[in-house]
Structure formats: structure tokens, C-alpha cells
Amino acid sequence: MTEFVSSSYVLLPLAITLVAPFIILLLKNHINLREMVSFIAGAATFISILYMVPSVLDGTIYTFTLFTLLPGITVSFAVDGLSLIFALLASFLWIIATSYNIGYMRSLKEHAQTRYYFCFAVAIFGAVGVAFSANIFTLYLFYEIITIFTYPLVAHHQDEEAYSGARKYVVYLMGTAKLFLLPAMIMTYVLCGTLDFHLGDMVQGIFPEDAPTHWVVLTYFLFVFGLAKAAIMPLHNWLPSAMVAPTPVSGLLHAVAVVKAGVFSISRVILSGFGVETMEALHLGIITAYLAAFTIIVASIIALTKDDLKARLAYSTVSQLSYVILGVALLAPLAVAGGNMHIAHHGFSKITLFFAAGAIYVATHQKKISMLSGLGRKMPWTFGAFSVAALSMIGVPPVAGFISKWYMITGAMDAGHMLFVFVLMASTILNTAYFGQIIYKAFFEAPAPGVNIESYREAPLSMVVPICITAAISVFLGLYPTVFYQFIELLLGV
């Protein structure tokens, strides 16, 4: 039975992630202490969130209202099962990413490292805020914080290419938020008189039965297109363009804060805003599922055409994000479970892939897939971890991605939507094609003509260890799927 408990404790993880960036600024001339702050803050945030897990698993939903702006418009926080999945993912990967950041940034002697670590930390603050948002207004505030403070990360290199990619990034994300998400929030308030999510189960939404159907439908699609961080086609192009950022930022964008904020927000709006009853009554779920299915297939086909490793991984992310949306949009309990579990499963696997891409660049300065032939024998740990993460993306047991896909396929069959079963199977084949090529080249092909690989070695240990850790966690989550399924049960109200 769900029990709502008001507790200021929910502010602790937010306070840690808010204070840490400013301590990083103060320690700009003490680089070892500066980096240590990120480690300590990440660990403290993760532990403070982990502390709430037993109570939430027992049915408690923590809430706290910071202040009220207008009747029905508050800055409020709530922690339920879905919140914990995203918040635990973001805080834990912050710890791992800090180690990787040190190896990457120092090896390449990158400039403006203090600004980099400051913005990275604020992005995690935004991610935790999105995870803990109890209403649409609070979610909107933290969603925009993520966009604002990841812009300097995308533009980090401060050259023409970086500024061009960063402009597209901010225009897409802030433009859609202003044009679509803000009106969606206003219309929700007008129709419902509140912006608070309905937490505790996914059946009931906040929209009254007598709300005009056409306005509810319009509001829904304003949300879908306003949350462009989810990268549903055609609002996806910002994501490949953001690959001009340093590779650890690409990992942050694709595995932790940015894109996960997008799919998490869509999941929250569907399940805790509109609810299954409204979604089914207005056939909104099936329309969304078709949009997601289209994105899954087309993005995978585009990924096949890319020779740049990060570009291929970027389009893979576009495709994989829509797994989450497809699972939730099917509205069947098992599909919803698979979709939301994929937030974490994809996070660990995709950050492994981007970490590996960065390690390859640091060690060899190679970016093209066509130039990776034979490198697996020189960098076995990096390419071994890459292969494990790739198997997760494909959906091969016992890696985590298999569990997500299994739940989604089973849920689609339970709901009688066999078309989406075929979509997921086709995506598996395409994933095998574009990841299999990389693995085959790395381990089984002779070096590319004119490339001397004899001098290549693994990247610094501070980079290789995080890669292996995240790959190992992907296997662990595949072997023990109940780790996150218990949180999903709370969301489903079972």
C-alpha cells in the first residue's frame, strides 16, 4: 500500500549536487582537490539516494514542497520507484565518469577544466532535480537547467565546429521547450487546475473526465515534442551534432543526464500525468508507439552508414532511447517495466561504449571505424568492454539489454501488438550489423593499410578501469534483473 510521507530529506541529494559545483570553482587552482570534490559529492549523493531505497520499496513515497508560487504551482519534490532509477543512475555514473574525466582531460591537456567540471556537476544537479520533480513546473525548471549548463560542455573546444554544434543543441532543446513544453504546462494547469503528478500507480492521470478531448490530445503532443531531449524523430538532429563535445561529455549526454532526462520526463508525463486510462481512451499510446518504432528503425539504418565511431554511437542512442518510449507507450505492464528498466540498462551500456571510444582516441587518435582494424589485440580491455556493451545494445543474454528487450517483446505480445515485436526484432538485426562490424574489425581484421598499430597501448588506467566497471555492471544487471524491477512494480501499482 502506498504511503505518502513529507520529508525534507529529499532535499539532501539536491543540496549536495548544488553545493559541489561551487566548491569546484573555489578549488580551481588545486586540481587534485577539485577532482576529489567530484568523487566525494558523487559518492555522497549516491549514498543519500540509496538510503531511501528500503522505505520506497516498502511503499513509501517521499514528498516535500519547497515553496508555492501560485495555487497549484509549487516547487515540489517526490521520490518513488521511477525517481530512484534515474537518480541512482545519474549519481553513480557521476562517480565513474569523474575517474574517466581525469584520464581523458589530463591526457589530452584540455583547457578550461574547472569550467568543465563545474558544468558537469551542475548537469547532475539538474538530472537529480528532474528525477525528484513532483510536478510539471519543477520538472520544467530542472529540465532547462540541464540544457543551459551542458551548452558550455558541447561548445568546450571553442572552435567553429564546436560553436555550430552547440548552437544547434541549444536551439533545438530550448526552442522546443519554449514553443511546446511551456504551452503544454500552461494548458495542463488550465485544464486540471494543478501541475502535480499523480503518483502511486500508472492508471489514474490528472486530467478530468470532462476535459475537452481535442485540448487534451493537443496538450499531450505538445509534451512529446517539447521534451526533445528524448530525440524522437524528427527532433533528433541536435544529438549527432553535439558529438563535437569531448567524449566524456558525449557519455553524459547519451547515457546520464540529457537524453535520460528526456525519456524519463516522457515516461513520467505519460504514466503520472495522463495515466493509462486517458492514454488508452484517446489512443495516444499507439500513436506514440508508431513514432517510437519509426525512430528505432530509421536511426539504426542511418547508424549503419556512419564511419565516424561517435556518430554511429549517436544514432544508436537515438534508436535506443525510443525503446524506452515504445515500452511505456504500449501501456502493457511488462512493456512499461521493460521500457523503464532500459533507462538504467542503456545508461550503463552506452556510457561504456562512449568511454571506449574516448579511450581509443586518447590511445590512438583514431575516430573512424575503418581505421580500427586489429586494435582489439592491442587494446583488449577497452575493446572487450566495448563488445560486452555492444551485446547489451543488441540484446544478447546475459547482458542487461536482453532483459529490457525481453520484457518489451513480452508486453507487446500480451497487448496484441505483434508489429512492435517485429520492430524490436528488426532493430536487433540492425544493431548486430553496425556493432558486429566494429567488433569484427577490431579483433579479426588485419590493420588498415598505412596504420602502424605496434606502438598502440591501452589508455590510462583511470580511463580503462571505469570502462570495465560499467561493462561489468551491465552483465550484473542482466544476471539480476530484479534489482530495478522492484522499483517498477511500485510504479505499476502492483
Side-chain angles (χ1 to χ4, degrees), residues 320-486:
Q320 293 279 333
L321 289 175
S322 280
Y323 276 42
V324 178
I325 298 168
L326 175 61
V328 173
L330 287 173
L331 304 176
L334 286 177
V336 172
N340 282 294
M341 290 168 74
H342 201 61
I343 291 175
H345 293 170
H346 175 265
F348 282 105
S349 301
K350 186 49 65 76
I351 205 168
T352 303
L353 294 170
F354 274 104
F355 279 179
I360 293 165
Y361 180 72
V362 166
T364 70
H365 289 282
Q366 299 291 352
K367 296 181 178 181
K368 301 295 184 182
I369 295 168
S370 56
M371 304 301 288
L372 301 183
S373 300
L375 285 181
R377 298 188 289 275
K378 292 295 181 180
M379 304 176 68
W381 289 102
T382 297
F383 278 96
F386 183 97
S387 300
V388 169
L391 292 176
S392 181
M393 295 292 94
I394 294 167
V396 176
V399 197
F402 167 76
I403 303 299
S404 305
K405 194 167 290 188
W406 178 267
Y407 276 115
M408 282 186 274
I409 288 174
T410 305
M413 293 174 68
D414 287 347
H417 295 302
M418 291 303 297
L419 172 64
F420 300 113
V421 174
F422 293 124
V423 166
L424 292 169
M425 296 306 295
S427 172
T428 298
I429 295 169
L430 291 167
N431 291 341
T432 303
Y434 64 72
F435 281 121
Q437 181 194 21
I438 299 170
I439 296 169
Y440 181 82
K441 279 183 171 293
F443 287 106
F444 301 106
E445 280 192 356
V451 178
N452 180 14
I453 68 170
E454 294 306 315
S455 62
Y456 293 154
R457 297 292 184 270
E458 292 280 6
L461 204 60
S462 60
M463 298 177 70
V464 175
V465 170
I467 299 170
C468 294
I469 290 173
T470 52
I473 292 173
S474 291
V475 176
F476 173 81
L477 293 176
L479 292 172
Y480 299 97
T482 55
V483 170
F484 285 120
Y485 187 69
Q486 293 177 68

Side-chain angles (χ1 to χ4, degrees), residues 99-235:
S99 172
Y100 185 90
N101 277 327
I102 293 170
Y104 185 93
M105 300 299 283
R106 293 189 184 183
S107 295
L108 296 179
K109 298 179 173 59
E110 289 283 357
H111 72 292
Q113 291 189 27
T114 298
R115 181 187 69 195
Y116 176 92
Y117 285 107
F118 172 83
C119 292
F120 207 101
V122 177
I124 302 299
F125 167 69
V128 175
V130 167
F132 285 3
S133 295
N135 58 52
I136 298 164
F137 179 74
T138 308
L139 185 147
Y140 176 81
L141 290 179
F142 284 94
Y143 183 93
E144 291 287 61
I145 286 172
I146 295 174
T147 303
I148 293 166
F149 284 93
T150 48
Y151 170 82
L153 296 175
V154 177
H156 176 79
H157 292 306
Q158 294 180 255
D159 54 23
E160 184 177 348
E161 184 182 21
Y163 285 130
S164 175
R167 278 196 301 272
K168 182 179 288 188
Y169 174 81
V170 78
V171 166
Y172 264 82
L173 297 187
M174 294 201 77
T176 53
K178 297 297 183 292
L179 289 174
F180 304 123
L181 183 56
L182 185 58
M185 181 170 61
I186 294 170
M187 291 180 67
T188 301
Y189 184 72
V190 171
L191 292 170
C192 306
T194 182
L195 295 175
D196 292 343
F197 291 121
H198 182 271
L199 303 174
D201 70 78
M202 67 179 198
V203 177
Q204 298 295 323
I206 64 174
F207 286 82
E209 292 183 1
D210 60 350
T213 299
H214 58 286
W215 289 119
V216 175
V217 171
L218 176 60
T219 302
Y220 175 77
F221 283 106
L222 286 173
F223 274 118
V224 170
F225 292 113
L227 295 165
K229 286 185 174 74
I232 295 178
M233 289 184 168
L235 298 175

Side-chain angles (χ1 to χ4, degrees), residues 42-83:
T45 304
F46 179 72
I47 292 169
S48 66
I49 296 169
L50 198 63
Y51 178 80
M52 292 184 275
V53 168
S55 297
V56 172
L57 289 178
D58 285 339
T60 299
I61 295 179
Y62 289 104
T63 64
F64 188 78
T65 298
L66 193 60
F67 55 84
T68 300
L69 294 177
L70 294 169
I73 302 179
T74 63
V75 176
S76 300
F77 303 98
V79 180
D80 65 355
L82 185 57
S83 301

Side-chain angles (χ1 to χ4, degrees), residues 16-26 37 117-118 121-122 125:
I16 296 170
T17 52
L18 177 61
V19 171
F22 296 99
I23 299 177
I24 289 170
L25 281 182
L26 291 173
V37 170
Y117 285 107
F118 172 83
V122 177
F125 167 69

